[in-house]
C-alpha cells in the first residue's frame, strides 16, 4: 500500500478493525508500494519508516492516511511532533538513503509479484479480493477453519 492512495486509506480502516478484533492473534506487515503518480508517496513512506525507527510506525502511518490530501514536508513534520518523535532524529533519518532503498526494494518485490496498483492485501500468502471489513473478516474466518482453529 501507500499513504497517498485513498483506496489504501479505506482498506486501512478495515484492516485496523480486524487488528482490534483479533488483537494479539494477527500480525500485520506493511510493504511500501509508492505509485509513480502520487508525488508525496515516497516522502510519506520515508516518514513512516523514520517513525518506525523510534517505535511509532503505526502512529505515523495512521496519521499519514488521515492527512492524505496534505502530505507536505511541513505537515509530516507537524505530525511527527504530534506523535512525540524526537524531531532532530526524525529530520536526520528522513535524509537517509537507506530508507529510500528499503522502500525501493519493497516496490521492486511488488512488481516481481505482478502488483500494479494499491492496495493489495494478503492473508497467509493468499491475495484477498474483497478489502472491506466484512471481506477481510470472512478471509480470517476461512483461514482459521483451514488451520483447524
Amino acid at each position: 500500500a501507500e499513504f497517498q492512495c485513498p483506496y489504501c486509506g479505506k482498506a486501512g480502516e478495515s484492516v485496523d478493525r480486524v487488528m482490534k478484533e483479533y488483537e494479539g492473534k494477527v500480525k500485520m506487515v506493511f510493504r511500501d508500494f509508492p505509485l509513480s503518480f502520487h508525488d508525496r508517496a515516497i516522502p510519506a513512506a520515508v516518514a513512516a519508516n523514520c517513525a518506525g525507527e523510534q517505535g511509532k510506525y503505526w502512529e505515523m502511518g495512521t496519521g499519514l492516511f488521515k492527512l492524505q490530501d496534505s502530505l507536505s514536508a511541513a505537515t509530516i513534520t507537524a505530525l511527527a511532533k504530534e506523535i512525540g518523535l524526537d524531531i532532530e532524529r526524525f529530520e536526520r533519518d528522513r535524509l537517509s538513503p537507506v530508507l529510500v532503498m528499503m522502500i525501493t526494494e519493497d516496490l521492486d518485490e511488488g512488481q516481481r509479484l505482478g502488483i500494479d496498483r494499491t492496495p493489495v492485501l494478503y492473508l497467509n500468502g493468499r491475495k484477498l479480493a474483497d478489502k472491506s471489513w466484512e471481506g477481510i473478516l470472512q478471509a480470517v474466518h476461512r483461514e482459521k477453519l483451514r488451520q483447524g482453529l
Side-chain angles (χ1 to χ4, degrees):
E2 59 121 297
F3 295 107
Q4 200 175 357
C5 167
Y7 301 108
C8 294
K10 204 67 164 147
E13 292 171 8
S14 298
V15 170
D16 288 345
R17 287 182 68 185
V18 170
M19 296 303 292
K20 286 178 185 156
E21 179 82 18
Y22 291 97
E23 191 172 345
K25 298 177 183 175
V26 175
K27 178 182 176 185
M28 165 70 160
V29 176
F30 189 97
R31 302 296 300 268
D32 293 298
F33 198 83
L35 299 171
S36 61
F37 53 87
H38 284 148
D39 65 330
R40 300 302 299 162
I42 290 176
V46 168
N49 284 284
C50 288
E53 293 294 313
Q54 296 185 43
K56 296 205 174 189
Y57 183 91
W58 299 114
E59 293 90 335
M60 177 61 80
T62 298
L64 292 169
F65 277 130
K66 288 179 182 174
L67 298 170
Q68 285 180 325
D69 294 331
S70 59
L71 292 174
S72 68
T75 302
I76 291 172
T77 298
L79 176 59
K81 289 176 184 174
E82 183 181 313
I83 65 172
L85 295 181
D86 173 337
I87 297 304
E88 186 176 306
R89 179 178 172 196
F90 177 76
E91 293 297 342
R92 185 177 60 245
D93 288 349
R94 279 170 86 174
L95 301 174
S96 169
V98 173
L99 293 177
V100 174
M101 185 178 65
M102 288 170 38
I103 293 162
T104 302
E105 287 172 358
D106 279 0
L107 181 60
D108 291 346
E109 183 175 349
Q111 290 170 337
R112 278 193 302 276
L113 292 170
I115 295 171
D116 61 355
R117 64 186 58 118
T118 59
V120 177
L121 301 177
Y122 288 88
L123 179 64
N124 287 346
R126 291 182 180 83
K127 191 173 180 180
L128 303 183
D130 186 347
K131 296 162 191 76
S132 70
W133 155 246
E134 295 83 7
I136 297 170
L137 193 60
Q138 286 176 357
V140 170
H141 287 294
R142 280 192 306 270
E143 191 60 27
K144 284 174 58 178
L145 289 173
R146 280 190 190 102
Q147 294 184 10
L149 301 174

